[in-house]
Amino acid sequence: QVQLVESGGGVVQAGGSLRLSCAASGIIFSSRAMGWYRQAPGKQRELVAAIPSSGTTTYARFVKGRFTISRDNDKNTVYLQMNSLKPEDTAVYYCAAIGVVPYYWGQGTQVTVSS
């Protein structure tokens, strides 16, 4: 049974930071690309950042330079460090195991940035 469990969301003021974590089980974590997505109310889910099993990370243009994705294969965990947060970053953030089908998704964690 695959489980992806996100944590670390919350309410933060504009300019602040949060670190999201996603603990994975039931997959061969070290061989899977992982991604963070977000969905704001009334909007489609969008890719925020992705990290392959090895190689170069990918960032959406709107977070480049502010967010950093990383992974710890020993802990089966992927992280998203979010700095210089803006009100428009407010969304539910989802962790996903991607790259090959099927994709697996976490339940999401709410991030709210107040102005």
Side-chain angles (χ1 to χ4, degrees):
Q1 179 185 359
V2 178
Q3 282 194 314
L4 301 177
V5 180
E6 300 101 333
S7 61
V11 180
V12 64
Q13 286 190 330
S17 299
L18 283 174
R19 188 195 197 204
L20 305 183
S21 300
C22 171
S25 59
I27 58 173
I28 303 175
F29 182 80
S30 60
S31 67
R32 289 297 295 256
M34 300 296 296
W36 284 98
Y37 291 72
R38 72 185 188 185
Q39 187 166 19
K43 295 188 176 181
Q44 288 191 329
R45 191 172 297 190
E46 58 186 358
L47 176 67
V48 175
I51 184 167
S53 55
S54 63
T56 306
T57 54
T58 302
Y59 294 95
R61 198 178 324 174
F62 52 77
V63 302
K64 208 163 188 178
R66 300 188 297 125
F67 292 9
T68 303
I69 189 171
S70 61
R71 65 190 298 159
D72 184 336
N73 289 340
D74 291 335
K75 295 182 178 179
N76 286 1
T77 301
V78 61
Y79 305 96
L80 185 68
Q81 177 66 44
M82 305 187 294
N83 299 328
S84 302
L85 282 160
K86 305 175 182 180
E88 51 264 44
D89 294 318
T90 295
V92 178
Y93 283 72
Y94 297 90
C95 167
I98 60 175
V100 294
V101 294
Y103 282 18
Y104 297 103
W105 296 88
Q107 81 288 350
T109 185
Q110 176 70 47
V111 171
T112 302
V113 184
S114 62
S115 56

